[in-house]
Amino acid sequence: MKHMLLFYIFFGIFFLNTSCSSDSSENNDGPELPLAAETFMDVPYGDNDQQRYDLYLPANRSTEYTKVIILVHGGGWTEGDKADMDYIIPFLKSSHPNHAIVNMNYILANLQTPAFPNQFEDIQAVISKLFNERVELQINPEFALIGASAGAHLSLMYDSVYDEDDKVKMVVDIVGPTDFTDPYYSENPNFGFLLSALVDESAYPTNTDYAVAVSPALQISNTTSPTLLFYGNADPLVPLTNGERLNTALTNANIEHNFSVYEGGHGDNWSQADYLDVQNQISSYINSYLEVNTEL
């Protein structure tokens, strides 16, 4: 699957990376002392070597207001790496300097390890670890999920199906697959085999319709978070009908959302104006649904 050139062009060119980390203070005399920014790379959150994330903590953070943005890479559930999302980080640091950022890997699917529900549960493991370490890290465990392609699918599914405690407050869906019952997929003669290879059937009840069970557009409820949808009208990998179906489901459930369709493909040849629109919408949603109030 193509890497998200959209982000490389847009975020990589327009924003310079800020300092990656600074040494934490060794003074333990009082919590009122300002905390330095810190970066932790390849933090393990499970026993598998792929279960790692990079954590960017802002200066002057607090358990009262430092909320967390989680990035979830694409790659067709079988490939990709958190490094594919690195070019978003300078934008987030520049526009939202008081938020913590997590850029996560998950266990890639192979013949021995199916994607679903394991990759949904990897997001759960990251959120649980951050929640449990909230005091040590000085973060407020409220989250945004920003996913690209397969990562958008995982983010949408996690929010609607697995986020039982409502820790996720918003989702950004960038060209994510949302409905595997779409004829674009279901009429592909190889689709049944491909889906069965991605699903751990032992993790689902007997007679489960897996195409439905792992389609976020078919799992929307009144607990689904506000969502941004970004799609191309000539995407060879994810049909525009998938964006349209998710848009309809969110509308029917009265979930706050915005659906944007751009001229081009899988996020890799949209216009500069479209890239700017993506930035503005993401920032607006973060300010609205993952607001940081440092005056608390």
Side-chain angles (χ1 to χ4, degrees):
M1 181 174 289
K2 299 177 182 176
H3 294 311
M4 295 300 294
L5 183 57
L6 158 66
F7 286 113
Y8 178 80
I9 293 173
F10 179 45
F11 297 118
I13 290 178
F14 287 119
F15 297 96
L16 294 176
N17 202 347
T18 55
S19 174
C20 286
S21 64
S22 60
D23 294 334
S24 60
S25 171
E26 296 181 357
N27 188 332
N28 296 319
D29 291 339
E32 65 278 352
L33 292 176
L35 293 170
E38 292 186 278
T39 296
F40 300 95
M41 307 298 289
D42 288 323
V43 178
Y45 66 88
D47 295 332
N48 190 293
D49 191 56
Q50 295 181 57
Q51 292 177 304
R52 295 179 181 271
Y53 59 74
D54 301 336
L55 173 62
Y56 303 84
L57 295 172
N60 305 319
R61 58 192 176 274
S62 164
T63 56
E64 295 179 340
Y65 56 77
T66 304
K67 300 175 185 179
V68 185
I69 301 166
I70 299 178
L71 309 178
V72 189
H73 71 80
W77 306 282
T78 63
E79 59 184 11
D81 187 85
K82 56 185 168 64
D84 299 339
M85 302 292 277
D86 278 350
Y87 25 78
I88 307 178
I89 293 170
F91 151 68
L92 293 173
K93 284 186 173 183
S94 175
S95 299
H96 304 283
N98 294 310
H99 285 79
I101 303 166
V102 173
N103 190 10
M104 66 171 286
N105 271 343
Y106 46 86
I107 300 176
L108 300 175
N110 55 42
L111 293 177
Q112 290 72 44
T113 307
F116 316 135
N118 297 321
Q119 292 173 357
F120 311 138
E121 293 170 352
D122 278 355
I123 296 178
Q124 177 70 75
V126 169
I127 288 178
S128 294
K129 179 176 173 64
L130 294 167
F131 179 84
N132 291 336
E133 297 177 357
R134 62 193 182 279
V135 175
E136 174 187 348
L137 297 175
Q138 286 293 289
I139 58 172
N140 180 337
E142 295 185 8
F143 300 91
L145 296 176
I146 300 179
S149 194
H153 165 263
L154 298 177
S155 299
L156 292 165
M157 277 294 298
Y158 180 80
D159 174 58
S160 286
V161 178
Y162 293 85
D163 183 31
E164 296 179 353
D165 298 327
D166 191 30
K167 293 184 177 67
V168 175
K169 302 303 179 184
M170 59 168 280
V171 179
V172 177
D173 160 25
I174 304 162
V175 296
T178 71
D179 186 356
F180 294 118
T181 70
D182 190 317
Y184 181 89
Y185 297 113
S186 62
E187 294 180 2
N188 182 325
N190 297 317
F191 176 72
F193 170 78
L194 295 172
L195 183 62
S196 65
L198 288 172
V199 173
D200 179 0
E201 297 182 2
S202 68
Y204 294 89
T206 303
N207 298 323
T208 293
D209 185 332
Y210 302 112
V212 172
V214 299
S215 292
L218 306 181
Q219 306 299 326
I220 300 302
S221 72
N222 60 6
T223 66
T224 296
S225 298
T227 304
L228 287 173
L229 296 72
F230 301 107
Y231 287 84
N233 64 2
D235 192 330
L237 299 175
V238 177
L240 181 58
T241 50
N242 262 218
E244 293 169 343
R245 290 177 180 218
L246 179 59
N247 177 56
T248 297
L250 292 167
T251 298
N252 290 342
N254 294 314
I255 302 299
E256 186 69 27
H257 68 287
N258 197 57
F259 177 39
S260 299
V261 180
Y262 304 121
E263 295 286 337
H266 198 61
D268 53 3
N269 58 353
W270 301 349
S271 73
Q272 293 288 339
D274 295 337
Y275 303 150
L276 182 59
D277 186 50
V278 170
Q279 174 202 7
N280 289 339
Q281 289 195 52
I282 290 174
S283 284
S284 177
Y285 256 53
I286 290 172
N287 289 335
S288 295
Y289 299 108
L290 207 71
E291 179 184 12
V292 165
N293 185 357
T294 58
E295 296 180 357
L296 290 176

